[in-house]
Amino acid sequence: MKAIVIDEFGGPDKLQERNVPEPKIDANQILIKLYATSVNPVDTKIREGAMGAAAGPFPLVLGGDVAGIVKEVGDNVSRFKPRDAVFARPRVFGAQYVAVDADVVVKKPDNLSYEEAASIPLAGLTAWQALVDHGKVKAGDKVLIHAGAGGVGTLAIQIAKALGAEVASTASGKNAELLKSLGVDHVIDYTQEDFSEVLSDYDMVLDTMGGDIQHKSFKVLKPGGHLVSILEKPDENLAKDLGIHTAHFMMEPKGEQLEKLAELIKQGKLKPVIDSTYWLSEEGVRDAHTKSESHHAVGKIVIREK
């Protein structure tokens, strides 16, 4: 089967198309014929070597999203059958067939295309775990989501609104209308305003930026509030002085949480935002990585199998 792999760390030019053996599944897995996947910022970091040997042995297939149909099920799997339309957050993408543990696979909602479904798992689970598991967001809370036009941001906004929160978000002015359409109550144009000077008394901040943005985020939180980062560990000493709860985490694939996202999608409360779509080819995946590294994507970057 066709796969896009790297044999060494480096730039997008290291991505190469190659024929590799079709994966074999064990008793608790399913084999998915990939129709679509997506590129996440972590993929470019792994490609560059930021994760080092922890990324796995070469040749390395990058990624963390898949949408497609079930080709084969393991002996212990009863929830799925061949031809079921599914999506999941597996360990790899970039290949025409993907072996996935059945407990992280969910049936694709009928109101989503495969391309839309492929944009959800990694970013959606990151947003859910940040808001629910670590941020403890509940109805009536005030939540600030940084970089609201990004892949995680566009989904986090909608999840926070579904939880009943009041939402503020930072973005450039050109993306203000998009954020308002997603439900944002207060759009902060970071080119014109300093969010830390206009917001206060917030219950939770989702930090997707790190650095000075993260440091300033402490100023908008009330005592007992939550600062949750997906990039870098917040200052524990400052958090203690201010009475702020902090968390820095890496998303964990959880099928039961992906089911909750699927339910929000069925209810029309969660809709993916697709920036651009590329073909599953050497050129296509290279272009997708280049677009991701530009930091100008609005929503998710999707890759589609021909």
Side-chain angles (χ1 to χ4, degrees):
M1 67 172 183
K2 176 178 66 180
I4 311 300
V5 308
I6 59 171
D7 294 309
E8 60 181 325
F9 298 126
D13 61 300
K14 300 300 182 184
L15 292 155
Q16 299 181 358
E17 185 172 323
R18 185 173 301 154
N19 285 320
V20 299
E22 186 176 305
K24 303 295 183 183
I25 60 171
D26 65 29
N28 298 308
Q29 292 183 314
I30 67 174
L31 186 65
I32 299 175
K33 176 176 172 53
L34 183 143
Y35 284 4
T37 182
S38 74
V39 169
N40 295 283
V42 68
D43 302 326
T44 63
K45 290 184 174 68
I46 292 173
R47 192 207 68 230
E48 292 170 343
M51 306 297 186
F58 294 120
L60 184 61
V61 183
L62 306 176
D65 293 305
V66 62
I69 62 170
V70 176
K71 182 185 179 185
E72 183 183 348
V73 301
D75 292 340
N76 295 339
V77 177
S78 58
R79 293 194 305 124
F80 302 101
K81 64 183 185 302
R83 302 297 304 175
D84 279 347
V86 295
F87 68 135
R89 192 289 190 224
R91 297 297 177 191
V92 299
F93 84 96
Q96 291 173 303
Y97 294 92
V98 185
V100 188
D101 294 340
D103 62 355
V104 300
V105 180
V106 172
K107 289 185 178 178
K108 181 182 74 67
D110 292 338
N111 59 336
L112 276 192
S113 68
Y114 286 101
E115 289 81 4
E116 290 173 322
S119 75
I120 293 290
L122 191 149
L125 288 171
T126 298
W128 180 274
Q129 290 170 18
L131 294 166
V132 177
D133 295 352
H134 299 286
K136 313 298 181 185
V137 173
K138 60 186 183 302
D141 280 356
K142 294 167 64 177
V143 176
L144 168 61
I145 296 168
H146 285 299
V152 171
T154 52
L155 297 175
I157 288 166
Q158 297 174 78
I159 294 169
K161 293 301 295 184
L163 293 170
E166 178 183 324
V167 177
S169 185
T170 58
S172 63
K174 66 181 181 179
N175 292 319
E177 289 306 314
L178 168 65
L179 267 58
K180 290 176 183 177
S181 74
L182 296 177
V184 174
D185 301 286
H186 308 285
V187 178
I188 307 299
D189 181 350
Y190 65 80
T191 68
Q192 302 295 324
E193 295 180 293
D194 182 339
F195 73 91
S196 67
E197 299 297 330
V198 296
L199 302 177
S200 62
D201 206 33
Y202 270 65
D203 298 280
M204 189 258 180
V205 175
L206 172 52
D207 168 41
T208 62
M209 304 294 289
D212 188 51
I213 298 297
Q214 182 188 97
H215 189 77
K216 284 184 175 182
S217 294
F218 280 101
K219 293 177 61 178
V220 310
L221 286 163
K222 64 172 64 171
H226 295 263
L227 174 57
V228 181
S229 178
I230 61 174
L231 278 187
E232 59 189 54
K233 190 175 182 179
D235 186 329
E236 292 182 348
N237 292 326
L238 180 58
K240 184 177 180 180
D241 290 343
L242 297 174
I244 301 299
H245 303 285
T246 65
H248 170 237
F249 76 102
M250 291 287 288
M251 185 278 299
E252 297 180 21
K254 293 185 178 181
E256 67 274 15
Q257 293 181 344
L258 191 56
E259 288 277 12
K260 291 177 180 177
L261 296 178
E263 187 58 36
L264 290 178
I265 291 166
K266 293 174 186 175
Q267 295 171 4
K269 296 180 179 179
L270 184 63
K271 177 75 173 176
V273 176
I274 306 298
D275 176 273
S276 48
T277 303
Y278 299 86
W279 291 114
L280 181 62
S281 65
E282 184 175 285
E283 180 183 11
V285 177
R286 286 179 178 182
D287 288 346
H289 274 236
T290 299
K291 180 62 179 284
S292 179
E293 290 175 317
S294 75
H295 303 295
H296 292 310
V298 176
K300 289 298 298 292
I301 299 167
V302 171
I303 295 172
R304 178 171 53 192
E305 168 65 322
K306 294 184 179 180

